[in-house]
Amino acid sequence: MKINTIVVVTDNVVKQYYGYALRKAFKSLNCKIVLLSFPAGEKSKNINTVISLQTQMLNHFCSRETLIIALGGGVVGDIAGFVAATYMRGISYIQIPTTLLAMIDSSIGGKTGINLSHGKNLMGLIYKPKITIACIDFLASLPRKHIINGVVEALKVFLISNIIHFNKFRRRLNKILDYDKKSLETLVRHSANIKMNIIKQDLHENGLRAVLNFGHTIGHALEKISRYKILHGYAVAYGILFEAKISELLGILAPEKYDAIKTVFNQLGFHESYFKRFDVNSIIKATYSDKKARSNKINYVLLKDIGKIYSYRSSYTHPVHDKTIKKAFLTLIGEKYHAR
Ligand SMILES: NC(=O)c1ccc[n+]([C@@H]2O[C@H](COP(=O)([O-])OP(=O)(O)OC[C@H]3O[C@@H](n4cnc5c(N)ncnc54)[C@H](O)[C@@H]3O)[C@@H](O)[C@H]2O)c1
């Protein structure tokens, strides 16, 4: 691969912390280095940012011999990946994630994209980076709420696939929240490996990859209702509680397993009482606009045990009746369900 220009794409916050330093570190390389940034946050994840970045690249005479480096969290990774996938019909890119969520989740698997007014990640494509380089040192400056945001995705990965890791990291939660480097490193290594293994088997989400959406059907609905003010991982944490409760009510997950999951999420500050602020009908309505909804049926990933997904007739997603969603909701907020 011949490269004559490196474009580092980042947001204005990460640019201050690490963008200039990375540009300086690349100075000795025999190629042109361009540092481009946009305002941090989900609001930037739109077509205008993509057009602005690509126009700046054209102004810098970037050809197909350009390498993009996505330096930042999931927002930067998704936008920079999309820019790489579409610039002159596709150029190479590398992911250097700087949030825990990006290290564990968004920088792996090649999903790139932007938001449209109808919802999140509705325009995009799967376009794999040449490599993802996760360096734990970046996490030292990351606010704690974003550490929790990433921990949730790691716990999700363990919940669907590995009870040993789930129990191990459950015991290490305090160390992780105290930014213990070794604990963070093993958390990233184990969860990233599991995600990579799943993706290797099903890149385009025709089957197995769907298990990664555990907690996400309700999680996406909560994000939508709260107009994306809630962090993705936080929405997924509540989504996990809700979808584990559905699994319990359907007789798939044992009640004591649900309680074990609840205890861990309580420790991270996620409580069932949170749902009291919502109307269940609005949650159900929001799930219907999820892009994973197929033929007007809302499919859920359900849990059979800690570390094990429920599968039936080789399918990992299952339609769940609205009545069950309502029952789960009322149980979560401590009210009785009366069938009408
Ligand atoms: N592509 C995928 O497979 C995938 C998977 C999950 C989530 N996502 C997407 O990821 C996005 C969320 O990613 P995120 O949680 O990383 O949010 P983010 O990218 O908005 O980063 C969070 C905040 O932390 C700041 N930041 C980043 N690294 C920092 C560091 N090391 N020190 C200090 N501050 C730092 C950023 O500037 C930003 O303000 C969403 O848009 C979501 O849709 C994509």
Side-chain angles (χ1 to χ4, degrees):
M1 179 171 76
K2 195 171 165 245
I3 295 299
N4 57 28
T5 308
I6 294 177
V7 176
V8 178
V9 175
T10 190
D11 67 32
N12 63 319
V13 174
V14 180
K15 181 180 175 180
Q16 295 298 330
Y17 279 112
Y18 310 109
Y20 294 117
L22 193 67
R23 184 171 66 181
K24 203 170 158 202
F26 283 163
K27 274 241 162 86
S28 58
L29 297 177
N30 191 20
C31 64
K32 183 174 166 184
I33 313 291
V34 178
L35 179 61
L36 299 181
S37 66
F38 54 80
E42 194 66 35
K43 277 206 179 116
S44 287
K45 217 172 124 177
N46 59 50
I47 194 72
N48 297 329
T49 307
V50 172
I51 293 171
S52 161
L53 290 169
Q54 295 199 348
T55 306
Q56 292 178 74
M57 286 171 66
L58 288 167
N59 291 340
H60 282 284
F61 305 104
C62 293
S63 67
R64 290 188 48 79
E65 288 172 359
T66 298
L67 173 75
I68 288 184
I69 295 186
L71 176 73
V75 168
V76 169
D78 282 8
I79 293 175
F82 188 74
V83 166
T86 51
Y87 189 76
M88 296 189 174
R89 298 202 179 93
I91 57 173
S92 301
Y93 79 114
I94 286 177
Q95 291 267 17
I96 304 188
T98 62
T99 64
L100 185 58
L101 180 114
M103 291 181 190
I104 279 168
D105 193 7
S106 59
S107 68
I108 303 162
K111 280 190 182 176
T112 75
I114 51 170
N115 305 331
L116 297 178
S117 56
H118 281 66
K120 271 187 69 170
N121 303 324
L122 292 177
M123 182 186 281
L125 61 165
I126 292 181
Y127 191 69
K128 288 206 290 183
K130 287 282 169 218
I131 189 169
T132 292
I133 303 164
C135 173
I136 299 299
D137 289 336
F138 285 126
L139 301 181
S141 55
L142 190 70
R144 197 164 187 264
K145 65 176 183 183
H146 287 290
I147 297 287
I148 295 173
N149 196 39
V151 166
V152 170
E153 284 290 351
L155 289 175
K156 176 211 72 184
V157 162
F158 301 145
L159 270 175
I160 61 171
S161 66
N162 195 309
I163 187 171
I164 295 169
H165 288 333
F166 182 80
N167 286 332
K168 180 170 154 184
F169 287 102
R170 180 171 59 87
R171 287 192 296 270
R172 281 196 197 173
L173 268 188
N174 287 338
K175 278 188 159 188
I176 291 166
L177 298 181
D178 281 343
Y179 293 78
D180 176 66
K181 229 176 123 178
K182 185 130 189 23
S183 302
L184 283 165
E185 203 175 299
T186 45
L187 182 82
V188 170
R189 188 170 325 110
H190 288 308
S191 48
N193 275 341
I194 294 172
K195 181 165 180 187
M196 274 184 315
N197 265 332
I198 291 172
I199 281 153
K200 256 189 223 155
Q201 295 173 63
D202 177 24
L203 179 65
H204 292 280
E205 203 165 317
N206 295 319
L208 182 65
R209 188 168 180 169
V211 300
L212 292 166
N213 295 325
F214 176 57
H216 281 61
T217 306
I218 294 293
H220 283 154
L222 299 178
E223 278 185 288
K224 196 171 170 131
I225 295 168
S226 66
R227 292 171 195 261
Y228 303 103
K229 290 207 174 81
I230 183 173
L231 287 177
H232 177 72
Y234 284 56
V236 169
Y238 292 116
I240 287 172
L241 284 176
F242 203 125
E243 294 177 20
K245 180 55 79 182
I246 295 171
S247 309
E248 183 198 331
L249 291 178
L250 291 172
I252 295 168
L253 181 73
E256 61 273 20
K257 300 296 168 119
Y258 174 80
D259 289 340
I261 295 167
K262 186 177 86 169
T263 305
V264 177
F265 282 87
N266 285 172
Q267 214 183 319
L268 285 168
F270 302 107
H271 298 277
E272 294 168 328
S273 57
Y274 171 79
F275 288 103
K276 283 186 180 167
R277 70 188 71 186
F278 293 100
D279 163 30
V280 67
N281 293 311
S282 63
I283 296 180
I284 293 172
K285 193 172 162 219
T287 61
Y288 276 88
S289 60
D290 193 288
K291 65 181 180 312
K292 271 133 198 143
R294 290 193 185 178
S295 27
N296 286 333
K297 268 194 210 147
I298 304 306
N299 286 306
Y300 286 81
V301 177
L302 301 171
L303 207 59
K304 189 170 165 49
D305 199 347
I306 293 176
K308 204 162 186 197
I309 281 300
Y310 172 69
S311 80
Y312 179 68
R313 292 187 176 160
S314 311
S315 178
Y316 298 101
T317 60
H318 316 278
V320 175
H321 203 285
D322 287 356
K323 264 190 205 161
T324 310
I325 309 295
K326 288 181 184 170
K327 193 171 175 186
F329 176 82
L330 291 174
T331 314
L332 286 165
I333 62 170
E335 284 183 22
K336 282 227 159 68
Y337 174 72
H338 302 287
R340 278 190 212 147

